[in-house]
Amino acid sequence: MNEISMTVNGETVSHTVEARTLLVTYIRDHLKLTGTHIGCDTSQCGACVINFNGKAVKSCTMLAVQADGAEITTIEGIAAGDQLHPVQAAFKEHHGLQCGFCTPGMIIAAVDMINRYGNTLDEATIRSELEGNICRCTGYQNIVKSIKAAADEMTGSSMSDQSSTSSAS
Amino acid sequence: MFHLTYHRPTSVEDAVHFFTNGADAKFLAGGQTLLPTMKQRLAAPSDVIDLRHISALMGIGSTEEQLTIGAAVTHAEVAASQQVKQTLPALAELAAHIGDPHVRHMGTLGGSIANNDPAADYPAAALALAATIHTNSRTIAAEDFFTGLFETDLQEGELITKVDFKIPTKAAYAKFANPASRYAMAGVFVARYADEHVIVAVTGAGSDGVFRHRDMEAALSDDWSVEALTPTSMNESDLLSDIHGSAAYRANLVKVMAQKAMKTMI
């Protein structure tokens, strides 16, 4: 058994786990944070994507012990109280989900890609960046639309705005 | 997954020490192949040695002749590195299209070449860029390193520390990715050097893993043009044939990808 400790959604957590425990199992079964989903057994679907030390990774393809000392953010940790994260709000607004199973992974992946690309994130990039997240309901159209809208809002550029955003302070 | 003992060394020496003392140990780099394999119980190591906390395996450096990348550098880091983009943009581009973003955040150069998956991208770059693979005990030329499907010249407990890639005057990589897995069904890395000799390395298609396409190399060394590839051919009996594509299909794909790579350079 291994003693592990990490920061999850801003809180320090410590547990004793078997070395073979997957990080996703730790998050769901030990921490009871069941927003992170397990959609496959083959590391392909992306429903388990979390933010690990600032990067989106598949929590089903990592051991919990590997995350000892890490900073983790799951879907439960991105809203500010009752205030949805802009990406969550955009998924709601643009109907970026149907059954919702893939949504936690989609949203964490979306936040990660917006962080990396900022206002250069265009539709083609969003589509190629969604390579690791599978959705079987939406056909991706509204997911792409949601991410684009969130990126525009978060980076202060708007595709529908005719006037360029003011940078005056 | 079966029981295992986890180790987190901070030096190459300690990593090798843990390996030697384990009954059936495995090095764990990014884990993007090893962990799925363990989840399926196709691998059941007694000891897993995490390589993500060894500073000697990190870092990217370059001279005029070569680019050196630490074995534990991730695909995402290679893809985003200004140094790689400037000295060897084709390699940054290759790294940017391995797997998916989440895999690229974890997967490493050392892990990829040590695994030598016949459809992995890095082996093609290592061959075409005449790489030198450094381990804890020796250096191995890429030419001698890849010995077959999932087979390399690495000995038990030998650990890759870094890889030197020769800097060509021109290079490009084109791959046709399997639409589901994103692994290469044919990936062709073409590199041309100052003395005008050309190396063409092919991944995803060979029944024995990555290989050099000597016919294309001769044609392009002689005549640096897309058209020079037209008369080249490939022995289909040396190619993979599976549910994703027949050997004949792959033979054609290899040529198309080589042409695609050439078109980006001319």
Side-chain angles (χ1 to χ4, degrees), chain B residues 9 11-18 54 136 159:
Chain B
S11 72
V12 171
E13 294 70 30
D14 284 353
V16 173
H17 173 77
F18 285 129
I54 303 175
N136 59 314
L159 180 63

Side-chain angles (χ1 to χ4, degrees), chain A residues 66-86:
Chain A
Q66 281 179 278
D68 184 23
E71 278 205 26
I72 283 171
T73 307
T74 68
I75 189 67
E76 289 90 346
I78 67 167
D82 290 340
Q83 183 89 38
L84 291 180
H85 184 281

Side-chain angles (χ1 to χ4, degrees), chain B residues 36-100:
Chain B
T37 312
M38 287 164 64
K39 283 161 67 176
Q40 303 296 324
R41 292 190 165 186
L42 296 170
S46 62
D47 294 74
V48 163
I49 299 144
D50 190 346
L51 303 176
R52 297 182 62 259
H53 301 268
I54 303 175
S55 56
L57 304 181
M58 319 284 183
I60 297 175
S62 62
T63 64
E64 272 188 19
E65 292 84 37
Q66 64 185 33
L67 173 72
T68 302
I69 302 180
V73 175
T74 65
H75 309 325
E77 287 164 346
V78 171
S81 159
Q82 282 308 321
Q83 201 164 8
V84 179
K85 284 185 191 174
Q86 277 159 20
T87 54
L88 239 170
L91 194 67
E93 190 63 20
L94 173 147
H97 292 96
I98 297 173
D100 60 51

Side-chain angles (χ1 to χ4, degrees), chain A residues 165-169:
Chain A
T165 42
S166 167
S167 59
S169 51

Side-chain angles (χ1 to χ4, degrees), chain A residues 40 42-50 55-61 105 109 112-113 116-117 125-134, chain B residues 32 36 74-77 79 94-108 121 175 177-184:
Chain A
C40 73
T42 49
S43 305
Q44 285 166 312
C45 80
C48 70
V49 170
I50 54 144
K55 295 175 178 118
V57 303
K58 295 173 187 173
S59 61
C60 78
T61 312
D112 177 72
M113 76 175 86
R116 282 184 287 120
Y117 287 92
T125 310
I126 294 170
R127 287 185 183 275
S128 79
E129 284 284 323
L130 283 177
E131 205 72 82
N133 295 80
I134 293 174
Chain B
Q32 302 300 289
T74 65
H75 309 325
E77 287 164 346
L94 173 147
H97 292 96
I98 297 173
D100 60 51
H102 323 311
V103 166
R104 294 194 288 272
H105 280 146
M106 291 298 289
T108 68
D121 299 297
K175 80 163 160 179
N178 178 301
S181 73
R182 313 315 290 171
Y183 270 105

Side-chain angles (χ1 to χ4, degrees), chain A residues 52 88 123 130 141-142 154:
Chain A
F52 168 77
Q88 290 175 306
E123 185 183 331
L130 283 177
Q141 296 292 11
N142 287 350
M154 289 166 71

